[in-house]
Amino acid sequence: MPKKQGKLFILSAPSGGGKSSLAKALVESMPDVAVSVSHTTRPPRPGEQEGVHYYFVDPETFRAMVAADRFLEHAEVFGNHYGTSREVVERLLAQGRQVLLDIDWQGMRSIKAKMPGAVSVFILPPSREVLEERLRGRGQDSAEVIARRMREATAEMRHYKEFGHVVVNDDFNAALEDLQAIIEDAPERARPVTVDLEALLHD
Ligand SMILES: Nc1nc2c(ncn2[C@@H]2O[C@H](COP(=O)(O)OP(=O)(O)O)[C@@H](O)[C@H]2O)c(=O)[nH]1
Ligand SMILES: [Mg+2]
């Protein structure tokens, strides 16, 4: 059988959207799916590993990589720099893998401009209440920090219309199946979006 041509899948979501867990489950359930590990100037959080969650670099190194054209796309997201390495993506595509890019809407625009065949998916939480609950779930943050995260998440979610597909993460397994359908090029199997988008995007 000829080797399947690898494809790029852009997954975007607001912080708290549940994207990382879904990406992990996709990799575990679909043997030819891999996640591209980005470079970032953000400091590692407790538990984050070099080369697994990100390649953590200082701003000078990041700038040098930009100058050397080593990123397929890069963007500043809420004060930190993030970039998708050409080398990482090309290596995975050469292996015939389906490559997931966990990037923001700016990265999606850059990738779509260069590679129109890339498939883009925006993952939405089912409601503001659930989103806030998930943002709180991360730890002992102040009301002010939660409020800032809600504003950032809302700003991010306002771009959902620019994406080819929208998946609502109301039920983890159902959202996972929707994503699997999209990756298998059978988006008609994914559930229609039924959330109240007006309420979700209203600050
Ligand atoms: N454009 C772009 N965005 C990225 C890249 N890597 C991560 N991001 C996005 O940066 C944002 C912040 O990511 P992160 O620091 O991991 O915090 P998170 O909100 O907990 O996921 C998320 O929207 C990521 O999808 C990248 O290489 N390029
Ligand atoms: Mg993340």
Side-chain angles (χ1 to χ4, degrees):
M1 217 166 70
K3 203 165 184 184
K4 216 165 67 182
Q5 178 60 49
K7 214 162 152 182
L8 281 185
F9 293 88
I10 302 161
L11 293 190
S12 291
S15 187
K19 178 179 48 174
S20 310
S21 321
L22 284 166
K24 188 160 175 275
L26 285 171
V27 169
E28 284 165 2
S29 63
M30 300 176 87
D32 62 345
V33 170
V35 178
S36 161
V37 178
S38 291
H39 285 65
T40 184
T41 59
R42 167 169 81 60
R45 297 181 188 138
E48 282 186 332
Q49 285 166 269
E50 168 72 14
V52 176
H53 299 90
Y54 284 102
Y55 294 102
F56 296 97
V57 294
D58 55 38
E60 277 93 313
T61 306
F62 194 93
R63 265 197 296 278
M65 288 184 71
V66 171
D69 197 27
R70 288 181 55 194
F71 291 124
L72 208 48
E73 65 74 36
H74 61 93
E76 187 178 333
V77 186
F78 305 124
N80 294 302
H81 295 273
Y82 296 85
T84 305
S85 151
R86 282 182 196 283
E87 195 186 313
V88 168
V89 170
E90 278 162 14
R91 188 175 59 234
L92 294 172
L93 287 176
Q95 294 169 1
R97 311 292 283 275
Q98 310 299 321
V99 182
L100 304 186
L101 303 179
D102 169 348
I103 61 179
D104 81 327
W105 62 273
Q106 304 173 86
M108 178 278 290
R109 282 189 184 173
S110 307
I111 296 286
K112 286 294 280 183
K114 282 188 188 163
M115 299 153 126
V119 173
S120 63
V121 187
F122 199 92
I123 301 167
L124 285 172
S127 67
R128 293 188 76 77
E129 290 68 30
V130 169
L131 177 64
E132 191 168 332
E133 201 51 47
R134 289 182 188 160
L135 290 174
R136 273 180 204 289
R138 289 194 171 181
Q140 58 299 56
D141 302 298
S142 66
E144 200 181 315
V145 167
I146 302 285
R148 177 174 53 77
R149 289 200 189 133
M150 284 298 285
R151 282 196 303 277
E152 290 176 349
T154 306
E156 186 77 24
M157 291 192 294
R158 293 217 164 101
H159 293 277
Y160 82 91
K161 276 188 197 147
E162 299 171 39
F163 288 71
H165 304 275
V166 175
V167 166
V168 179
N169 185 13
D170 44 358
D171 173 83
F172 185 85
N173 287 312
L176 179 61
E177 283 176 20
D178 291 342
L179 290 168
Q180 288 168 335
I182 292 165
I183 294 172
E184 285 165 4
D185 202 14
E188 67 281 357
R189 255 173 37 216
R191 298 166 303 159
V193 174
T194 53
V195 298
D196 183 349
L197 291 160
E198 275 300 307
L200 191 58
L201 298 179
H202 197 272
D203 226 328

